[in-house]
Amino acid sequence: MKKFLLLLIVLCTFGCKKYVVSFEQPTDKKLDNLKMEILLDKKKIQDINLKAANGLPTYETIGLSVSDDGKHQLQVKVKDTVFNYEIKYPEEKYVLVTAHLKNNGKIHVGILKQAYKYRLR
């Protein structure tokens, strides 16, 4: 049974195509308890509640399945604003999403996309 589980984990790790999306938890206390609704191709995937971190930001990571063509639309809803991003697999396999407060008090959600893992220090 242990060999079967190990084989399943290895096959899924190397055989499953997934996007890796990391959500940065902000250091700005004004963004504490902010709710972000995550949609992939207009289907709700998950709700993320931002929790302000002291000092260095932390990250919440999820894996999202890839379709045959590898193109998806990632939407992030914050309050009454929707931010739309197009993601292409495998060129943009790793995605980093961050929310920050502009000088005018509005919330902005930014995104970084790349083919290799981020080094977060």
Side-chain angles (χ1 to χ4, degrees):
M1 186 65 171
K2 288 181 183 180
K3 289 181 182 179
F4 176 73
L5 288 174
L6 182 61
L7 179 63
L8 184 64
I9 291 170
V10 169
L11 287 176
C12 191
T13 302
F14 294 107
C16 298
K17 295 194 293 185
K18 288 190 178 260
Y19 291 105
V20 178
V21 182
S22 297
F23 298 91
E24 183 179 81
Q25 300 295 329
T27 55
D28 190 344
K29 298 290 184 192
K30 294 177 185 173
L31 295 176
D32 196 26
N33 294 321
L34 181 69
K35 180 181 171 186
M36 291 179 17
E37 188 176 329
I38 312 306
L39 297 102
L40 187 65
D41 298 327
K42 299 188 180 182
K43 295 178 188 168
K44 185 175 177 179
I45 302 296
Q46 187 172 350
D47 285 331
I48 304 274
N49 288 318
L50 298 181
K51 304 216 183 319
N54 293 329
L56 296 174
T58 57
Y59 298 87
E60 183 173 335
T61 302
I62 59 173
L64 303 174
S65 298
V66 177
S67 66
D68 293 334
D69 65 353
K71 294 182 181 179
H72 290 283
Q73 182 180 19
L74 179 68
Q75 293 179 308
V76 180
K77 281 186 178 180
V78 179
K79 294 186 178 181
D80 59 349
T81 307
V82 178
F83 298 90
N84 295 302
Y85 303 100
E86 186 177 310
I87 302 173
K88 298 173 193 159
Y89 186 88
E91 300 92 20
E92 302 166 344
K93 184 177 180 181
Y94 296 93
V95 179
L96 180 65
V97 179
T98 182
H100 64 275
L101 202 57
K102 289 186 169 185
N103 291 337
N104 61 5
K106 292 186 178 181
I107 296 170
H108 181 75
V109 175
I111 188 170
L112 295 171
K113 305 179 281 187
Q114 60 189 35
Y116 50 90
K117 290 183 180 181
Y118 288 96
R119 291 184 181 175
L120 304 171
R121 297 176 197 211

